[in-house]
Amino acid sequence: MKNHNLFAALRAAFPASLDEVAIETDTGLSYTWRDLERATAMMANLLQSLGLPAGARVAVQVEKSVEAMVLYLATLRAGYVFLPLNTAYQSAEIEYFIGNAEPSVVVCASRNFGWVSKIAFKAGTQNVFTLDEDRSGSLLDRAGHCSDQHEVALKQADDMAAILYTSGTTGRSKGAMLSHGNLLSNAQVLKDYWGWKKGDVLIHALPIFHVHGLFVAMHGALLNGSKMIWLGKFDPKLVVEKLPEATVFMGVPTLYVRLLAEAGLTLEACRNMRLFIAGSAPLLIETFKEWQQRTGHTILERYGMSETAMLTSNPYQGGERRGGTVGFALPGVSLRVQGDEGQSLPVGEIGDIQVKGPNVFQGYWRMPEKTKEEFTADGYFKTGDVGKIDERGYITIVGRSKDLIISGGYNVYPAEIEGYINEMPGVAESALVGVPHPDFGEVGVAVVTAKAGVTLDASRMLAELKSRLANFKIPKQCFVVSELPRNAMGKVQKNLLREQHKSLFS
Ligand code: MCA
Ligand code: AMP
């Protein structure tokens, strides 16, 4: 029987000579392909020695490191389900994810062990390990005693490989269940579409707890047996310094904006580069053009979601990369634009983007009703993005029907932040809107009204939020007003608030 385990496909792509360098880090470490083979085997053996149930979740909130990547690969290899968590999440957020996913294993930074283990044990997790970015922690101590021989667990294409939490427009986050087949099919399509070739070297500068850094970038390099230059954190100076040694770079628009501020970003620095890819948030046309002028390279913009991995891409070759568009539906992806009555719209008309394909997820974890709501009767997933397709087939995203702010490539769901603000004493109601920001593309601004007779202190409210939520979710400003604008139906007119505050940061 064929093994559909994603790790098996990635492993098969390792170069024949396992002593070649697979990863060089910004801390001066170097890992060979053999190191990855052995380390994933040892960690997979550790996981399998724990007697976990089939389909067990391994929840991970650790700083970026090669060992954290090994943990991801080992989880696949051992046949369990990887659940990455943003390091910015604080206790209330972690409590929800762990309570909802009921992981059998939790791995956290040692400095967080106290509070994370308390949450995990309360939720019934039996195994809590630590892993730090300096290669210390109980996970590696334990794995160090395990055999470096391991047979990759047998998996079907639709077996779950990962759960990625993505917030909803209402209520709490939903865990998008992605299968081995979802992830592998997408990685294979991107390998061909982006022309990955022998000798490619990727600068990996993104976090590894979301689709972009964990799947798109990492699978891309691994499936091509390509070396990665591994940066623990995005540092524009270091990226520019490393560009001559690389051929491929991937980033959210904020990374491109910050790189453009570096004087060292020149044609000469980019002389060996083959491809710059952007996504996760809209790339401004000014950034696209300035990049072309400064580097001689045309950024390739693509579009995707946690629920679907990559959906569309501008062409690598054989066509123009058009700024402001996200290109064409990828091979195997069926994408359509629908009107309010569920009718297919003609070329150029704006409507809801819906997709189908082998990359589309298996549903939301333990939310069959929510899952059903997000699919059409004929099996298309409703992305919540609004766009159009031109006569040449290029897709442009013009907005979102979901109330979502994308800030520096991270998603902020207004409903979640408003929920926290509304619970604060003295608050009558609140609205969070996204406004343009030169660095993060878009940031949240809160507008709040007070209960009768109460005086609210905006900066104290922000400080209170900061103590409870991931830092990127904190509104960059908070205004206390006497009332929120409403339409005839009584609905808050966020468009008016957005308009009113659009120049705050420009
Ligand atoms: C940091 N801050 C932010 C953000 N990041 N504020 C708003 N939005 C952000 N994204 C704030 C912090 O709250 C803090 O504020 C201050 O900036 C410094 O924090 P620090 O962590 O030092 O910031 P940084 O290291 O400069 O980080 C900026 C960053 C990072 C490098 C752009 O946000 C980043 O790595 N973004 C990439 C996200 C990503 O990988 N997205 C892919 C999602 P204070 O000092 O007030 O506390 S995958 C996806 O979307 C799909 C499927 C797709 O298509 O790819
Ligand atoms: P996530 O929930 O993190 O998976 O974010 C997915 C959302 O990011 C999509 O639904 C889009 O709204 C947005 N997105 C991703 N790539 C792009 C892009 N190139 N341009 C505009 N929006 C994008």
Side-chain angles (χ1 to χ4, degrees), residues 207 210 212 258 280 302 304-305 407-410 440 466 471 476:
H210 293 299
H212 202 158
R258 292 187 182 183
S280 306
R302 85 328 174 258
M305 294 183 72
S407 186
Y410 286 141
F440 294 120
K466 211 166 177 173
N471 59 7
K476 297 290 182 214

Side-chain angles (χ1 to χ4, degrees), residues 108 115 218 399 455:
C108 66
W115 64 267
M218 203 197 286
T455 307

Side-chain angles (χ1 to χ4, degrees), residues 164-167 210-212 253 278-283 300-312 314 324-326 381 383-386 396-400 402 404 406 409-411 413:
L164 267 76
Y165 274 88
T166 140
S167 296
H210 293 299
V211 164
H212 202 158
S280 306
L283 180 74
L300 177 157
E301 186 172 1
R302 85 328 174 258
Y303 152 65
M305 294 183 72
S306 297
E307 289 92 334
T308 63
M310 296 303 99
L311 291 165
T312 76
N314 269 281
T325 83
V326 292
F381 174 61
T383 63
D385 293 307
V386 172
T396 303
I397 297 173
V398 301
R400 305 168 198 128
K402 53 194 173 193
L404 161 69
I406 304 184
Y410 286 141
N411 289 3
Y413 281 86

Side-chain angles (χ1 to χ4, degrees), residues 102 107 110 119 129 154 165 169 173 242 255 267 300 311 330-331 365 376 379 389 392 396 405 407 462 486 497:
E102 297 182 0
V107 184
S110 56
I119 291 171
F129 295 105
L154 199 61
Y165 274 88
T169 40
S173 288
K242 294 287 177 191
L255 270 51
L267 280 174
L300 177 157
L311 291 165
L330 285 165
W365 169 253
T376 62
I389 308 180
R392 292 164 62 188
T396 303
I405 298 166
S407 186
L462 288 178
R486 292 181 184 283
L497 293 174

Side-chain angles (χ1 to χ4, degrees), residues 177-254:
M177 300 187 289
L178 291 151
S179 68
H180 287 262
N182 290 148
L183 298 175
L184 181 56
S185 64
N186 205 240
Q188 281 166 333
V189 164
L190 295 177
K191 178 171 165 15
D192 292 340
Y193 206 80
W194 292 343
W196 279 94
K197 58 184 179 195
K198 199 168 162 36
D200 269 336
V201 176
L202 172 81
I203 297 183
H204 194 302
L206 287 162
I208 55 169
F209 31 67
H210 293 299
V211 164
H212 202 158
L214 184 66
F215 300 150
V216 189
M218 203 197 286
H219 291 169
L222 292 175
L223 200 58
N224 195 50
S226 274
K227 185 171 105 176
M228 285 187 256
I229 296 175
W230 185 267
L231 311 187
K233 281 210 154 49
F234 172 69
D235 170 353
K237 282 203 169 32
L238 191 54
V239 171
V240 170
E241 194 185 307
K242 294 287 177 191
L243 281 174
E245 299 168 37
T247 63
V248 183
F249 177 79
M250 296 189 198
V252 301
T254 299

